Amino acid sequence: MTLKSFGISAVLLVAAAASASAQVANGRYQIGACTTHPEEQIVRLENNVLYGYESVCTLSNPVPVDGTDGYSYVANCEGEGHTWQSNLFLIPLQDGQVLRLIRDGNVLDYNRCTP
């Protein structure tokens, strides 16, 4: 391995590590008490993919939100025959027991549900 290719590999490893660590905890979250209904109040986060009621958003370009453990993402979403892109903030609160989701000025707090 040449020094140049080693340097490129090191940069890619650092970038991958930063991307992997830039993730809010995977899990199921719900507004209010954790039940199976109403479905529109449930979101599931799995490896930078946010599943909501009749929609799914792939999260990319994580940027830390100053003063929090959260991140700002570019959300590429699809649902009900439409696609869209928006900025989305995911901020864990109360030791990860609450997930604050901020999109388009709307703030929603979801409680973490046990599997």
Side-chain angles (χ1 to χ4, degrees):
M1 177 183 282
T2 67
L3 186 57
K4 182 178 179 182
S5 63
F6 176 75
I8 291 171
S9 296
V11 167
L12 291 174
L13 284 173
V14 169
S19 176
S21 65
Q23 181 176 337
V24 177
N26 287 336
R28 182 176 171 274
Y29 299 87
Q30 183 167 352
I31 295 173
C34 291
T35 63
T36 57
H37 294 287
E39 293 176 6
E40 62 270 11
Q41 294 181 355
I42 298 170
V43 295
R44 193 175 79 243
L45 182 62
E46 290 182 11
N47 303 320
N48 291 330
V49 177
L50 184 67
Y51 299 90
Y53 182 66
E54 298 184 357
S55 66
V56 61
C57 297
T58 302
L59 309 177
S60 61
N61 302 331
V63 176
V65 177
D66 289 341
T68 75
D69 292 328
Y71 291 87
S72 166
Y73 297 93
V74 172
N76 291 298
C77 305
E78 60 182 77
E80 299 185 4
H82 300 285
T83 60
W84 66 95
Q85 186 179 73
S86 66
N87 292 323
L88 180 72
F89 296 87
L90 295 179
I91 302 170
L93 304 171
Q94 300 176 13
D95 295 325
Q97 295 307 303
V98 174
L99 175 65
R100 176 161 287 167
L101 187 149
I102 304 171
R103 178 175 41 203
D104 300 328
N106 296 311
V107 179
L108 295 170
D109 287 343
Y110 291 84
N111 295 314
R112 185 172 181 80
C113 301
T114 54

